[in-house]
């Protein structure tokens, strides 16, 4: 038997479904997909991270007697050539976004694909309500999976024995420049392995449930990017968290968040149209102002917390989860701009971008998706900054012109603008006015009477 092992977002050899299910002669490959890369900015940090990770997997595969053939092309082109070598099948991890499904259908017509659930703990088809319909609310979905999250350990995959490396040109590796990108400086945490990050997180997890909301603190695990590209499997991460010597309540709180990731993947699988339209099918009269959208993207809204979050995001490709909720609420409610535009902007820069989670989170914030925040609950960015960054530590670290401004002014609407010595952008819109406007529009969209 001859098989292609197609590594994609599973860049590891530990707990690898394709290595576990492989047989006989194998050709491990990775394709830098032109269809994806050609849409990215040439300074995209993710490409540098993925490139380094792919080279690391190549070395890991060598350590077990295999290797990795690396290509830069459209997948169809590569598999059309490999078809001539009489492979029986292609083993890969499954993905459910629209591009992935179209790509896989195309490849399956060239060489049969065998897909495994390897980027997530569960396959969405395996979890249904008693009436055989999918869940749309997280809590009952999560409770139905108690047999998983309450266990002390999930079974991990082991590498199949007696695999034979097919003779191939493994030495021809495209450079980052040949892919059309320049090497980028990465945030420090991306230079650490998943194991190192878990070890660091173990010292913080005892206060995780409380500290995770304070965006000036380094209280999170920093594992989202590693999880997204499969440098660690969700099963392995689950097991490592369970083994940490800390209160079960803190560990379980973190694991519950892992299942939000599962839930959003589940929603995308069962409701694929939600990638492109409101899941709840309401019709919102969105604000079409490109100027307001641009100022939000740039971090020039006149609201210090929103501006700091967006400027930091533009610089690093990262954003604290609470800040993601606040800036998405501001865009979709206060500015009343379509969540799809925010989702698209995040997709262009977010280091841990995952279609299902990003789409699900944006629809949650916009009150258009599964288990979404009620439309009348709108984050007030000034109250949020006062509560979770009392001394404006994060804001001042990102916006240096505010470093000498009293924190109380920063947390007050138009407070910064009242300082005549500061040339700070005017607010795009009043918080109270825009809140009322959003509530009225969502009432209308939901056919509710005022």
């Amino acid at each position: 038997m001859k098989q292609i092992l197609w590594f994609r977002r599973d860049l590891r050899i530990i707990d690898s479904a394709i290595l576990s299910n492989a047989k006989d002669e194998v050709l491990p490959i990775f394709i830098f997909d032109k269809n994806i890369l050609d849409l990215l900015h040439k300074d995209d940090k993710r490409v540098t991270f993925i490139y380094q990770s792919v080279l690391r997997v190549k070395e890991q595969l060598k350590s077990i007697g295999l290797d990795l053939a690396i290509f830069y092309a459209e997948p169809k082109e590569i598999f059309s050539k490999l078809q001539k070598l009489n492979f029986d099948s292609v083993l890969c991890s499954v993905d459910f976004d629209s591009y992935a499904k179209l790509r896989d259908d195309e490849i399956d017509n060239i060489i049969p694909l065998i897909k495994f659930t390897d980027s997530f703990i569960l396959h969405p088809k395996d979890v249904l309500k008693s009436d055989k319909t999918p869940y749309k609310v997280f809590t009952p979905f999560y409770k139905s999976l108690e047999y998983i999250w309450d266990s002390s350990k999930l079974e991990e995959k082991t590498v199949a024995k007696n695999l034979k490396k097919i003779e191939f040109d493994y030495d021809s590796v495209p450079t980052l420049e040949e892919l059309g990108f320049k090497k980028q400086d990465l945030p420090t945490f991306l230079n650490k392995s998943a194991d190192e990050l878990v070890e660091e997180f173990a010292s913080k997890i005892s206060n995780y449930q409380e500290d995770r909301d304070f965006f000036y603190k380094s209280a999170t695990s920093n594992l989202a990017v590693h999880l997204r590209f499969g440098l660690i499997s969700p099963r392995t991460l689950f097991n490592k968290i369970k083994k940490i010597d800390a209160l079960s309540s803190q560990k379980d709180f973190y694991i519950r968040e892992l299942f939000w990731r599962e839930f959003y993947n589940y929603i995308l699988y069962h409701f694929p149209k939600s990638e492109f339209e409101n899941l709840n099918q309401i019709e919102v009269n969105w604000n079409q102002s490109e100027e307001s959208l641009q100022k939000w993207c740039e971090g020039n809204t006149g609201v210090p917390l929103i501006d700091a979050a967006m400027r930091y995001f533009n610089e690093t490709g990262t954003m604290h989860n609470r800040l993601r909720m606040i800036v998405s609420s501001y865009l979709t409610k206060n500015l009343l701009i379509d969540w799809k535009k925010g989702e698209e902007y995040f997709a262009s820069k977010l280091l841990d971008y995952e279609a299902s989670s990003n789409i699900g989170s944006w629809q949650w914030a916009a009150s258009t998706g599964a288990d979404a925040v009620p439309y009348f609950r709108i984050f007030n960015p000034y109250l949020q900054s006062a509560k979770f960054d009392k001394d404006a530590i994060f804001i001042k670290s990102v916006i240096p012109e505010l470093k000498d401004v009293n924190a109380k002014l920063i947390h007050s609407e138009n407070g910064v603008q009242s300082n005549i010595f500061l040339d700070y952008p005017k607010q795009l819109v009043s918080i109270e006015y825009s809140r009322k406007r959003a509530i009225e529009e969502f009432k209308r969209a939901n056919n509710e009477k005022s």
Side-chain angles (χ1 to χ4, degrees):
M1 179 173 286
K2 291 175 65 176
Q3 296 177 321
I4 297 170
L5 310 184
W6 188 7
F7 286 83
R8 305 196 298 203
R9 49 176 300 181
D10 46 357
L11 301 177
R12 62 181 184 273
I13 65 170
I14 295 174
D15 191 31
S16 166
I18 59 177
L19 284 172
S20 178
N21 288 277
K23 296 177 181 177
D24 302 329
E25 296 182 278
V26 296
L27 172 65
I29 71 169
F30 182 89
I31 303 172
F32 284 101
D33 188 343
K34 279 190 174 183
N35 295 324
I36 296 175
L37 265 58
D38 289 354
L39 299 176
L40 303 179
H41 294 293
K42 300 311 173 187
D43 60 352
D44 196 309
K45 295 179 185 291
R46 291 170 293 192
V47 182
T48 294
F49 179 73
I50 296 168
Y51 187 82
Q52 293 175 351
S53 300
V54 168
L55 295 185
R56 198 171 296 117
V57 172
K58 184 178 177 70
E59 293 306 310
Q60 291 171 353
L61 286 167
K62 284 182 178 179
S63 72
I64 59 172
L66 301 176
D67 206 331
L68 186 69
I70 303 172
F71 305 95
Y72 170 49
E74 294 182 9
K76 182 180 179 180
E77 175 189 343
I78 297 302
F79 284 101
S80 295
K81 292 178 180 177
L82 294 176
Q83 182 186 37
K84 299 170 185 175
L85 300 179
N86 298 317
F87 284 98
D88 296 285
S89 57
V90 179
L91 276 56
C92 62
S93 178
V94 69
D95 259 332
F96 300 120
D97 64 86
S98 59
Y99 171 71
K101 290 191 291 187
L102 289 171
R103 174 200 61 201
D104 288 357
D105 286 346
E106 190 173 52
I107 302 308
D108 193 40
N109 289 325
I110 301 172
I111 305 174
L113 278 185
I114 302 175
K115 292 180 277 192
F116 300 93
T117 304
D118 209 28
S119 299
F120 296 89
I121 292 171
L122 57 91
H123 193 293
K125 67 177 174 57
D126 297 331
V127 183
L128 295 171
K129 295 189 291 185
S130 57
D131 63 1
K132 303 303 179 185
T133 61
Y135 290 96
K136 278 191 175 182
V137 179
F138 174 75
T139 299
F141 165 82
Y142 181 67
K143 286 182 176 178
S144 76
L145 300 170
E146 183 177 4
Y147 68 96
I148 297 178
W149 52 258
D150 198 38
S151 63
S152 59
K153 184 177 182 180
L154 302 181
E155 184 180 355
E156 296 181 38
K157 313 289 184 183
T158 56
V159 178
K161 296 179 179 179
N162 302 318
L163 296 180
K164 304 179 188 68
K165 179 178 72 173
I166 287 175
E167 290 302 313
F168 200 80
D169 178 13
Y170 295 100
D171 296 329
S172 180
V173 178
T175 65
L176 197 56
E177 289 70 25
E178 286 171 342
L179 301 180
F181 293 84
K182 293 181 180 178
K183 184 177 180 180
Q184 301 295 308
D185 291 329
L186 300 175
T188 305
F189 72 89
L190 287 187
N191 294 316
K192 298 178 181 179
S193 69
D195 286 348
E196 289 173 317
L197 292 175
V198 170
E199 191 173 325
E200 288 183 5
F201 184 51
S203 66
K204 302 183 287 187
I205 197 170
S206 294
N207 299 312
Y208 176 68
Q209 191 168 351
E210 177 185 348
D211 288 352
R212 72 185 186 101
D213 281 326
F214 294 87
F215 36 81
Y216 68 90
K217 293 184 178 182
S218 176
T220 58
S221 69
N222 285 323
L223 280 158
V225 184
H226 292 69
L227 192 60
R228 162 62 180 90
F229 295 111
L231 277 70
I232 186 171
S233 79
R235 294 178 295 270
T236 299
L237 180 54
F238 178 98
N239 291 341
K240 285 181 176 293
I241 296 298
K242 284 283 189 174
K243 285 171 62 177
I244 292 174
D245 183 17
L247 288 174
S248 294
S249 58
Q250 297 289 344
K251 294 188 289 186
D252 291 346
F253 190 84
Y254 180 84
I255 285 171
R256 191 172 190 270
E257 292 188 336
L258 288 182
F259 279 86
W260 268 103
R261 178 174 177 268
E262 299 285 330
F263 179 64
Y264 284 141
N265 184 62
Y266 176 89
I267 291 296
L268 184 60
Y269 173 84
H270 286 289
F271 306 98
K273 288 184 180 179
S274 67
E275 186 170 351
F276 308 106
E277 57 189 52
N278 296 342
L279 177 65
N280 62 11
Q281 298 183 322
I282 64 170
E283 295 292 333
V284 181
N285 292 322
W286 298 111
N287 174 10
Q288 301 300 322
S289 172
E290 287 299 320
E291 181 182 2
S292 293
L293 174 63
Q294 187 61 30
K295 287 185 179 296
W296 175 84
C297 292
E298 295 168 351
N300 286 314
T301 67
V303 182
L305 180 59
I306 303 297
D307 295 344
M310 294 306 295
R311 292 182 195 185
Y312 186 81
F313 174 58
N314 290 332
E315 180 66 27
T316 67
T318 65
M319 189 182 291
H320 187 280
N321 186 60
R322 176 156 289 274
L323 291 177
R324 296 187 197 197
M325 292 191 290
I326 297 167
V327 300
S328 54
S329 173
Y330 183 81
L331 183 74
T332 60
K333 302 293 177 55
N334 298 102
L335 297 183
L336 204 60
I337 290 175
D338 194 340
W339 66 266
K340 291 187 284 294
K341 294 182 178 180
E343 196 278 335
E344 182 181 6
Y345 190 69
F346 268 35
S348 72
K349 291 181 177 290
L350 199 60
L351 292 181
D352 63 357
Y353 175 74
E354 188 157 54
S356 56
S357 292
N358 202 46
I359 292 161
S361 296
W362 272 97
Q363 291 233 40
W364 179 90
S367 304
T368 61
D371 205 7
V373 63
Y375 68 80
F376 48 82
R377 290 185 186 165
I378 300 172
F379 285 99
N380 182 317
Y382 293 101
L383 296 180
Q384 290 290 311
S385 62
K387 184 175 182 179
F388 296 109
D389 190 15
K390 181 182 177 182
D391 297 318
I393 294 170
F394 170 75
I395 294 171
K396 291 183 177 186
S397 72
V398 180
I399 309 177
E401 59 265 38
L402 299 183
K403 65 181 176 64
D404 296 323
V405 176
N406 187 295
K408 289 185 178 179
L409 271 184
I410 292 174
H411 302 318
S412 303
E413 186 167 1
N414 289 316
V416 171
Q417 287 84 352
S418 69
N419 187 325
I420 61 173
F421 300 104
L422 278 177
D423 181 22
Y424 199 77
K426 292 181 180 179
Q427 271 200 138
L428 292 177
V429 66
S430 150
I431 297 299
E432 185 57 27
Y433 161 76
S434 59
R435 180 181 181 277
K436 289 179 178 177
R437 177 180 65 175
I439 289 174
E440 286 304 311
E441 173 54 29
F442 276 84
K443 273 185 180 178
R444 185 207 61 76
N446 284 281
N447 296 311
E448 295 180 16
K449 293 181 180 180
S450 298

